[in-house]
Amino acid sequence: MRINYAVKDILKSTPIYSLTLRYRRARQIANWRQQGRPIPPPSIVKQAIVIQYARRFQYDTLIETGTFMGDMIDATRGIFKQIYSIELSQSLHERAQARFQEYDHITLLQGDSG
């Protein structure tokens, strides 16, 4: 099933979505800690670290290699003034473009980051 990102953004603004998301994230982190913090950490941990560094060092630009599904972009789109992300896969790049087409501060590139 294809996700309609406009509908998802509307749902994200509801209180129940926020509570559900917080619970899910807290559970992911708790499970990761119980497992002895295996590498790699879950996405939520990586996103929290990026956000913490952005705030601590007052970074306003994120450059990401490997867009994948765009979850890092989604988690940080309100933090950074400019986001650049490059994805090797044409199909993943196209999905990210559809997902973030309304955000002028997000630049998505398709190609090899090397």
Side-chain angles (χ1 to χ4, degrees):
M1 181 172 115
R2 186 160 188 232
I3 298 171
N4 182 328
Y5 291 108
V7 172
K8 189 174 180 182
D9 282 343
I10 292 168
L11 291 174
K12 284 182 177 183
S13 66
T14 64
I16 192 72
Y17 183 87
S18 178
L19 291 172
T20 303
L21 188 60
R22 272 191 215 168
Y23 174 76
R24 195 171 107 219
R25 288 177 174 173
R27 209 166 145 202
Q28 286 177 334
I29 292 170
N31 287 340
W32 174 68
R33 287 180 177 156
Q34 283 179 336
Q35 295 170 3
R37 298 177 183 216
I39 295 176
S43 296
I44 186 66
V45 172
K46 293 184 266 186
Q47 293 164 4
I49 291 168
V50 168
I51 291 168
Q52 181 183 21
Y53 271 62
R55 289 181 175 150
R56 180 185 297 163
F57 299 108
Q58 300 177 342
Y59 294 137
D60 60 2
T61 302
L62 172 68
I63 300 171
E64 172 187 50
T65 61
T67 310
F68 188 52
M69 301 300 285
D71 292 339
M72 180 64 76
I73 295 170
D74 190 49
T76 61
R77 65 186 159 95
I79 304 295
F80 293 101
K81 291 180 183 175
Q82 191 66 44
I83 297 175
Y84 298 92
S85 185
I86 186 166
E87 173 58 50
L88 182 60
S89 165
Q90 180 69 34
S91 61
L92 290 174
H93 170 72
E94 289 170 2
R95 288 179 74 174
Q97 278 191 312
R99 184 175 181 184
F100 300 109
Q101 66 185 355
E102 67 186 76
Y103 300 100
D104 293 334
H105 72 294
I106 298 172
T107 302
L108 300 169
L109 305 166
Q110 196 278 317
D112 187 341
S113 63

